[in-house]
Every structure is written in C-alpha cells, then in structure tokens.
Amino acid sequence: VLGGQATALPKASTSAVEMIRHLKVARDTAVKGRTQAMLTVKAIIVTAPAGLREQLDGITGTMALIRRLAALQPGKLTSTASAKASLRAIARRWLALDAEIKAHDRHLEKLTQECAPAMLEAHGIAAGTAAEMLLLVGDNPDRIRSEAAFAKLCGACPIPASSGKTNRHRLSTAAVTGRPTRPCTAWSSSARGATSRPSTTSGVGRLKERGRWKSSGASNASWHERYSATCVANRNRP
C-alpha cells in the first residue's frame, strides 16, 4: 500500500456497517462475560455447603436458577452466607449482561434491517449472521468486483493443495482468521522425474558414516553396483 503497488480499495468506516461493528464488539464481550459468570456460578454451587446445594438442586432452568440466586439474602457472614453473597453477586452480574446483550441485539436487528433487508428474509439468516457478513463487505461493497473476491474474503475460496498426481483443493481461511495460509511444499510428478532432491551426502557416504561399509574389494564393488542400480530404479519409478 505504501509503495503504491496495491490496487484494492480498503474498507470504509463512515456508515452503518461501522456502527454494526461497534455494537458487535460490545455484544461479543458481553456474551463472553455472561458465559464466564454461569461457569463460575456452577463451580461455586458444586463446592457450596450441603444445605445450600440441596436447596438449589431442585431448580430447573437457567433463568429460574439465576433469579433464585439473585434474590438470596446472605445475612450474617458465615460459611453459608459467604457462598450466598458470591452467588447473588454473580447472578446479578449475569442478569445485567443478559439485559445488555438483548439491547445490543435490538440495535443490530434495526441496523441490519436497514442495510440488508433482503438478506434477513433468507432462511436461516438472523441479525447476527447478517452482521458478520456485512462486516466482511464493509461500507463500500462496490470495491469487491467479483464473486471470487467475495469468496476469498469469506474463507470459502478453494486453493490447490495437491502434489500434482491428484487434483485436491482446500479452503483458504487466511482472510477470516488472519493467519497466513501454509504453502504447499509437495513435489509434482514432473519435478520428481526431471530433477532429484538435493543431497549433501551420497548413499555410500551415509553407509560409511553409519559403519556399514565393508572394506573388502570385490564384494564391495559388486555390492556398490547393485546399490547404484537400485538407486537409479527408485529414482525413475513413477
């Protein structure tokens, strides 16, 4: 980009898609916090005093359990009261995060409906999925000039992943994950037939290093001829 060789236009951040990105970041962090709060609640219940644990075992449903915990009255601090105080604090945190997530969902539904109403009409596409796809495109979708370029951004672009003897492809997820795609290092059949792999030590030299080369003249000569013929046959094998 700095050298002036890049011709692709970057994403613009001046319209509704940038607003969706801001809300999506806030929602994702709230979802992580709510999940962590629920895991902490379950861990504390497992190690809570027997009396408190038996009272909570009969409650079914996540929302019913959270509301029950949020309404606890710890009283004077004891072993049971401290568990009640921690469970009540975490349950109220879970409720606050849940309300925040629902507020973000309402805003995202409104913005995605304004940006891509036809996308939301498709089967299986909700506001979260539409928001992710809009973030890939950006505020200036005209910069993507072909379907192949859009597939590359979505990580659904197949790239060659075969050695030449077979035709095999895999998905390139570098645009989505941000990690570079590992290059294919397999040799093609034509390359194997034309040139051999570089080697710093010959087969005889490797045998000498391992102590398997005998010093008798006639037997070594005949053995060397057979070894050379085997190497040539293996190299020319398709």
Side-chain angles (χ1 to χ4, degrees):
V1 174
L2 295 177
Q5 298 179 358
T7 59
L9 295 176
K11 291 182 182 179
S13 57
T14 57
S15 188
V17 176
E18 184 67 11
M19 299 167 58
I20 291 175
R21 188 182 71 84
H22 293 159
L23 295 174
K24 192 73 167 53
V25 170
R27 184 188 182 279
D28 291 343
T29 54
V31 169
K32 291 181 180 179
R34 186 181 64 176
T35 303
Q36 185 62 38
M38 178 55 64
L39 294 176
T40 307
V41 164
K42 293 182 178 180
I44 295 177
I45 291 177
V46 170
T47 58
L52 178 60
R53 188 170 61 251
E54 291 175 358
Q55 294 177 9
L56 301 176
D57 283 343
I59 302 177
T60 58
T62 301
M63 189 57 67
L65 176 62
I66 291 296
R67 289 176 178 174
R68 174 67 180 275
L69 295 177
L72 290 175
Q73 299 295 331
K76 186 179 179 180
L77 284 181
T78 59
S79 60
T80 304
S82 61
K84 289 183 179 180
S86 62
L87 289 173
R88 182 180 66 173
I90 299 173
R92 291 181 177 180
R93 184 191 311 165
W94 191 95
L95 290 174
L97 291 172
D98 186 66
E100 178 184 347
I101 293 170
K102 291 179 180 179
H104 291 320
D105 288 338
R106 289 192 295 268
H107 293 309
L108 287 174
E109 289 178 2
K110 181 179 179 181
L111 291 175
T112 52
Q113 183 66 33
E114 294 176 357
C115 293
M119 186 185 302
L120 293 177
E121 295 178 358
H123 178 71
I125 302 296
T129 305
E132 289 286 353
M133 299 184 70
L134 289 173
L135 290 179
L136 287 174
V137 175
D139 284 315
N140 48 344
D142 54 337
R143 68 190 182 91
I144 303 176
R145 302 178 181 179
S146 64
E147 186 176 353
F150 182 71
K152 183 71 173 178
L153 286 176
C154 297
C157 178
I159 60 176
S162 58
S163 61
K165 298 177 67 175
T166 59
N167 292 326
R168 183 169 59 88
H169 292 77
R170 61 187 176 87
L171 294 181
S172 174
T173 58
V176 179
T177 61
R179 300 175 182 175
T181 303
R182 180 179 298 178
C184 181
T185 58
W187 286 40
S188 64
S189 59
S190 59
R192 284 199 302 269
T195 58
S196 60
R197 294 173 181 258
S199 176
T200 57
T201 307
S202 63
V204 176
R206 287 194 297 269
L207 290 177
K208 288 183 177 180
E209 293 175 358
R210 298 174 185 175
R212 298 181 181 179
W213 181 260
K214 298 181 181 180
S215 58
S216 59
S219 61
N220 284 343
S222 59
W223 190 93
H224 182 269
E225 293 177 358
R226 293 196 303 270
Y227 179 80
S228 301
T230 304
C231 291
V232 171
N234 291 334
R235 186 166 59 249
N236 296 331
R237 182 179 299 172

